[in-house]
Amino acid sequence: MSRVAVFRDPAGKLRAAHGNQPVLCSSTLAEAQRKRRIEAEIQRVLSELIAREVKDPRVGNVTITAVNVAADMGTARVYFTPFASLNPHEEVRIGLTHAGGFLRGEVGRRLRLRHAPRLEFIFDDTADKASKLTGLIERAVKDDRAGHVDDDDEPA
């Protein structure tokens, strides 16, 4: 029969380990699941609020791509991408930060959170990076094909 050791980690949470391998406790899994659910709900509520309630002309159409809540639920990093916006992403971020207090209060009310996390807005440049990478790959493939055509034309 194997033994499982139960101990407290530096944060004071109960943990379990079997040999050198950590054992996932049901409470740890439940906490992670709750955190993911809250992140998804915050993303849903913010998308709705920004589209319908925020009147700041700097914001415009914004897509909320992800929300990451800190372990202590004190802050939430909100990743956004401007959608067909006339303003640069820094202006959109300033507009969202300006509306942050209103958005935080509404998120807390709609999700019935005792303490709504402080919202930190971050521009998500993943789509731009993916587009640049796709362009590089397409150019490399085109150059590679052009190089192989030249190799076939030369006499052996």
Side-chain angles (χ1 to χ4, degrees):
M1 184 177 223
S2 62
R3 297 186 128 189
V4 174
V6 177
F7 62 95
R8 288 197 183 273
D9 67 3
K13 293 190 176 194
L14 282 177
R15 301 287 182 196
H18 179 266
N20 291 334
Q21 299 292 347
V23 175
L24 294 176
C25 299
S26 61
S27 64
T28 305
L29 290 174
E31 288 173 16
Q33 190 175 25
R34 178 177 184 264
K35 183 179 171 214
R36 283 193 303 272
R37 192 172 56 244
I38 287 174
E39 289 171 344
E41 286 298 310
I42 290 174
Q43 182 176 356
R44 182 187 61 78
V45 168
L46 282 176
S47 295
E48 183 179 310
L49 284 170
I50 291 169
R52 295 186 180 155
E53 303 287 333
V54 175
K55 304 298 184 205
D56 193 328
R58 294 175 289 192
V59 176
N61 292 329
V62 173
T63 300
I64 303 298
T65 56
V67 175
N68 291 334
V69 178
D72 66 354
M73 301 289 286
T75 60
R77 289 186 172 171
V78 179
Y79 295 90
F80 71 93
T81 301
F83 181 74
S85 176
L86 300 175
N87 298 326
H89 65 85
E90 189 59 30
E91 282 291 317
V92 176
R93 189 191 64 75
I94 291 169
L96 288 170
T97 302
H98 183 74
F102 163 74
L103 294 170
R104 178 183 185 186
E106 284 298 310
V107 164
R109 274 188 281 287
R110 291 182 185 204
L111 298 181
R112 296 186 181 110
L113 299 174
R114 183 173 292 175
H115 301 286
R118 185 177 53 81
L119 303 175
E120 182 180 318
F121 295 96
I122 300 169
F123 172 65
D124 187 1
D125 61 348
T126 306
D128 293 339
K129 288 180 180 177
S131 175
K132 287 179 185 176
L133 186 60
T134 301
L136 287 172
I137 292 170
E138 288 174 353
R139 187 172 53 178
V141 168
K142 181 180 173 185
D143 291 347
D144 188 49
R145 286 184 181 155
H148 286 299
V149 170
D150 293 341
D151 291 343
D152 293 339
D153 292 342
E154 294 180 15

